Amino acid sequence: MKNPVIVYNTSYNGLSIIQELGSIGIPCFALDSTYSVGAFSKYAKFRKCPDPLRNEKAFIDFLYDFCAKQSSKPVLFPTNDEWALVTAKYKEKLSEVAIPCVASFGTVNILLSKDLFYKIGQQKNYLTPQTWDFHSLDNINENQFPIVAKPKY
C-alpha cells in the first residue's frame, strides 16, 4: 500500500500536488482552515483543520492526531511558506507519525527570513539583492537605480 499524502494549504499549489499524485493512485488528503480550490478536488478527501497562523498548537495537535490514525505514515506537503515554517518547527514531533517534506527549522527560517538570507549571502560574497529598510531610503544613490521594491511583510 502506498503511503497517503497530506497536502495542506490547498490553494493552487496544493491543488497541483493533489492532482499529480492523486491521478497516479496515491491517496491524498487536503487539509486547510478554509475551503480553497484543492478542497474540491476529486483526488483528495478534504479535512478542515485549525489555522496554524492563528493557533499553532491546535494545528500541530490536529495534524499529529490525524497522522497517527492513518494505517501508514503519511507524507506531509505544506504548500506555502508559513505552513512550511510551522511544520519545520515541529518536524521532530511530526516525524513520529508522518514523513514531513520540509528541511530543518533553522534552514527554513533562513530561507524565509529574507533579511537574514541576504545577509548570509553577502557575507559569503554571493550575488544577492541589496536591501534597505524604510529609514535608510535616503542613503540610496543614483548609481543603485533601477530598484525593485518589495515589502518585507
Side-chain angles (χ1 to χ4, degrees):
M1 179 175 183
K2 297 175 183 172
N3 293 57
V5 168
I6 299 175
V7 177
Y8 43 102
N9 189 284
T10 58
S11 62
Y12 290 99
N13 290 343
L15 175 62
S16 295
I17 294 169
I18 290 166
Q19 289 174 327
E20 191 66 30
L21 297 177
S23 69
I24 59 172
I26 296 174
C28 296
F29 292 97
L31 263 62
D32 211 327
S33 57
T34 61
Y35 289 91
S36 193
V37 294
F40 300 99
S41 173
K42 68 180 181 179
Y43 294 114
K45 296 177 185 173
F46 177 74
R47 299 292 187 270
K48 190 168 174 68
C49 66
D51 184 341
L53 303 179
R54 291 199 170 98
N55 192 338
E56 191 174 282
K57 182 182 180 329
F59 171 73
I60 293 299
D61 290 346
F62 175 90
L63 184 58
Y64 186 95
D65 292 343
F66 186 76
C67 292
K69 293 175 185 172
Q70 304 308 309
S71 59
S72 60
K73 281 186 171 186
V75 179
L76 304 179
F77 281 98
T79 64
N80 74 8
D81 293 350
E82 295 83 6
W83 293 47
L85 188 63
V86 170
T87 304
K89 186 175 180 181
Y90 294 94
K91 183 177 181 177
E92 187 175 329
K93 176 181 177 167
L94 291 170
S95 293
E96 296 171 6
V97 294
I99 303 166
C101 286
V102 293
S104 69
F105 178 74
T107 299
V108 174
N109 191 46
I110 288 171
L111 293 172
L112 297 181
S113 302
K114 290 175 182 47
D115 292 344
L116 179 57
F117 183 73
Y118 295 154
K119 181 179 178 182
I120 290 170
Q122 289 164 356
Q123 289 170 348
K124 295 184 178 288
N125 293 317
Y126 298 147
L127 293 175
T128 57
Q130 176 137 5
T131 61
W132 297 272
D133 64 22
F134 183 75
H135 302 292
S136 64
L137 293 178
D138 291 335
N139 299 331
I140 301 172
N141 68 53
E142 62 186 45
N143 295 330
Q144 294 168 311
F145 283 88
I147 63 170
V148 174
K150 183 176 180 185
K152 184 175 177 178
Y153 301 103

Short mmCIF file of all heavy atoms in Angstrom, two decimals, residues 10 17 26 29 31 55 57 59 61 71 93-94 97 101 106 112-113 121 130 137-139 142:
data_model
loop_
_atom_site.label_atom_id
_atom_site.label_comp_id
_atom_site.label_asym_id
_atom_site.label_seq_id
_atom_site.Cartn_x
_atom_site.Cartn_y
_atom_site.Cartn_z
N THR A 10 -4.44 24.44 0.69
CA THR A 10 -4.85 23.80 -0.56
C THR A 10 -5.25 24.80 -1.65
O THR A 10 -6.19 24.55 -2.40
CB THR A 10 -6.01 22.82 -0.29
OG1 THR A 10 -7.09 23.55 0.31
CG2 THR A 10 -5.57 21.69 0.59
N ILE A 17 -0.37 19.58 -6.56
CA ILE A 17 0.21 18.38 -5.94
C ILE A 17 -0.84 17.29 -5.81
O ILE A 17 -0.60 16.12 -6.14
CB ILE A 17 0.84 18.72 -4.57
CG1 ILE A 17 2.04 19.65 -4.76
CG2 ILE A 17 1.26 17.45 -3.84
CD1 ILE A 17 2.56 20.26 -3.47
N ILE A 26 -2.20 7.68 -5.71
CA ILE A 26 -1.73 7.90 -4.34
C ILE A 26 -2.87 8.54 -3.55
O ILE A 26 -3.40 9.58 -3.96
CB ILE A 26 -0.46 8.78 -4.32
CG1 ILE A 26 0.67 8.03 -5.04
CG2 ILE A 26 -0.07 9.13 -2.89
CD1 ILE A 26 1.94 8.82 -5.22
N PHE A 29 -5.10 13.54 1.08
CA PHE A 29 -5.97 14.34 1.94
C PHE A 29 -5.63 15.80 1.71
O PHE A 29 -4.46 16.15 1.59
CB PHE A 29 -5.78 14.01 3.42
CG PHE A 29 -6.24 12.64 3.81
CD1 PHE A 29 -5.33 11.59 3.88
CD2 PHE A 29 -7.57 12.39 4.09
CE1 PHE A 29 -5.75 10.32 4.23
CE2 PHE A 29 -8.00 11.12 4.44
CZ PHE A 29 -7.08 10.08 4.51
N LEU A 31 -5.88 19.28 3.57
CA LEU A 31 -6.15 19.94 4.85
C LEU A 31 -6.05 21.44 4.68
O LEU A 31 -5.12 21.94 4.05
CB LEU A 31 -5.11 19.52 5.90
CG LEU A 31 -5.46 18.40 6.87
CD1 LEU A 31 -5.69 17.13 6.12
CD2 LEU A 31 -4.36 18.25 7.89
N ASN A 55 -3.44 29.57 15.56
CA ASN A 55 -3.30 28.69 16.71
C ASN A 55 -2.38 27.53 16.33
O ASN A 55 -2.84 26.45 15.94
CB ASN A 55 -4.67 28.18 17.17
CG ASN A 55 -4.59 27.50 18.52
OD1 ASN A 55 -3.52 27.03 18.94
ND2 ASN A 55 -5.72 27.43 19.20
N LYS A 57 -0.43 25.57 18.07
CA LYS A 57 -0.53 24.35 18.88
C LYS A 57 -1.73 23.50 18.45
O LYS A 57 -1.62 22.29 18.29
CB LYS A 57 -0.61 24.68 20.36
CG LYS A 57 -0.66 23.42 21.24
CD LYS A 57 -0.78 23.75 22.70
CE LYS A 57 -0.83 22.55 23.61
NZ LYS A 57 -1.43 21.33 23.13
N PHE A 59 -3.18 23.44 15.57
CA PHE A 59 -2.90 22.87 14.26
C PHE A 59 -1.99 21.65 14.37
O PHE A 59 -2.27 20.59 13.80
CB PHE A 59 -2.26 23.91 13.33
CG PHE A 59 -1.75 23.32 12.05
CD1 PHE A 59 -2.63 22.89 11.07
CD2 PHE A 59 -0.39 23.15 11.84
CE1 PHE A 59 -2.16 22.32 9.89
CE2 PHE A 59 0.09 22.59 10.67
CZ PHE A 59 -0.80 22.17 9.68
N ASP A 61 -1.39 19.74 16.99
CA ASP A 61 -2.10 18.65 17.67
C ASP A 61 -3.06 17.95 16.71
O ASP A 61 -3.14 16.72 16.68
CB ASP A 61 -2.88 19.18 18.89
CG ASP A 61 -1.96 19.60 20.03
OD1 ASP A 61 -0.75 19.25 20.01
OD2 ASP A 61 -2.44 20.31 20.94
N SER A 71 -3.11 4.28 8.52
CA SER A 71 -2.56 2.92 8.58
C SER A 71 -1.05 2.90 8.30
O SER A 71 -0.36 1.97 8.72
CB SER A 71 -3.30 2.00 7.60
OG SER A 71 -3.18 2.50 6.29
N LYS A 93 8.68 16.10 16.20
CA LYS A 93 7.45 15.51 16.76
C LYS A 93 6.61 14.86 15.66
O LYS A 93 6.16 13.73 15.80
CB LYS A 93 6.64 16.58 17.48
CG LYS A 93 5.31 16.08 18.01
CD LYS A 93 4.51 17.15 18.70
CE LYS A 93 3.17 16.58 19.14
NZ LYS A 93 2.47 17.42 20.07
N LEU A 94 6.42 15.57 14.54
CA LEU A 94 5.60 15.04 13.46
C LEU A 94 6.22 13.80 12.82
O LEU A 94 5.51 12.93 12.32
CB LEU A 94 5.35 16.12 12.41
CG LEU A 94 4.46 17.28 12.85
CD1 LEU A 94 4.47 18.40 11.82
CD2 LEU A 94 3.03 16.80 13.10
N VAL A 97 4.91 10.25 13.49
CA VAL A 97 3.70 9.72 12.88
C VAL A 97 3.58 10.02 11.39
O VAL A 97 2.60 9.64 10.75
CB VAL A 97 2.44 10.25 13.61
CG1 VAL A 97 2.38 9.71 15.04
CG2 VAL A 97 2.38 11.76 13.59
N CYS A 101 7.83 16.70 4.54
CA CYS A 101 8.66 17.15 3.42
C CYS A 101 9.08 18.61 3.64
O CYS A 101 8.61 19.52 2.97
CB CYS A 101 7.90 17.02 2.11
SG CYS A 101 7.74 15.33 1.56
N GLY A 106 15.85 25.55 11.23
CA GLY A 106 16.88 26.56 11.00
C GLY A 106 17.01 26.91 9.53
O GLY A 106 17.11 28.08 9.16
N LEU A 112 13.24 31.78 4.59
CA LEU A 112 12.05 32.63 4.61
C LEU A 112 12.32 34.01 5.20
O LEU A 112 11.54 34.93 4.96
CB LEU A 112 10.92 31.94 5.38
CG LEU A 112 10.43 30.64 4.76
CD1 LEU A 112 9.29 30.07 5.58
CD2 LEU A 112 10.02 30.83 3.32
N SER A 113 13.39 34.17 5.95
CA SER A 113 13.75 35.47 6.52
C SER A 113 14.67 36.17 5.52
O SER A 113 15.88 36.01 5.56
CB SER A 113 14.46 35.29 7.86
OG SER A 113 13.66 34.58 8.76
N GLY A 121 24.18 35.63 2.39
CA GLY A 121 24.68 35.64 1.02
C GLY A 121 25.76 36.69 0.80
O GLY A 121 26.79 36.42 0.18
N GLN A 130 20.64 43.83 -2.80
CA GLN A 130 20.90 44.79 -1.72
C GLN A 130 19.54 45.17 -1.14
O GLN A 130 18.57 45.33 -1.87
CB GLN A 130 21.61 46.03 -2.24
CG GLN A 130 21.79 47.07 -1.16
CD GLN A 130 23.15 47.70 -1.19
OE1 GLN A 130 23.94 47.44 -2.07
NE2 GLN A 130 23.41 48.52 -0.21
N LEU A 137 16.24 54.77 3.24
CA LEU A 137 15.96 55.04 1.83
C LEU A 137 16.71 56.26 1.30
O LEU A 137 17.06 56.30 0.13
CB LEU A 137 14.45 55.21 1.61
CG LEU A 137 13.61 53.95 1.82
CD1 LEU A 137 12.12 54.26 1.62
CD2 LEU A 137 14.04 52.84 0.90
N ASP A 138 16.98 57.21 2.15
CA ASP A 138 17.71 58.40 1.72
C ASP A 138 19.16 58.09 1.38
O ASP A 138 19.85 58.91 0.77
CB ASP A 138 17.66 59.49 2.80
CG ASP A 138 16.26 60.08 2.95
OD1 ASP A 138 15.49 60.02 1.96
OD2 ASP A 138 15.95 60.59 4.04
N ASN A 139 19.65 56.91 1.77
CA ASN A 139 21.03 56.53 1.50
C ASN A 139 21.22 55.85 0.14
O ASN A 139 22.33 55.49 -0.22
CB ASN A 139 21.54 55.58 2.59
CG ASN A 139 21.53 56.24 3.95
OD1 ASN A 139 21.67 57.45 4.07
ND2 ASN A 139 21.35 55.44 4.98
N GLU A 142 22.08 57.38 -6.86
CA GLU A 142 21.55 57.21 -8.21
C GLU A 142 22.21 56.07 -8.98
O GLU A 142 21.63 55.54 -9.93
CB GLU A 142 21.65 58.51 -9.01
CG GLU A 142 23.07 58.99 -9.21
CD GLU A 142 23.12 60.37 -9.87
OE1 GLU A 142 22.36 61.26 -9.46
OE2 GLU A 142 23.91 60.51 -10.80
#
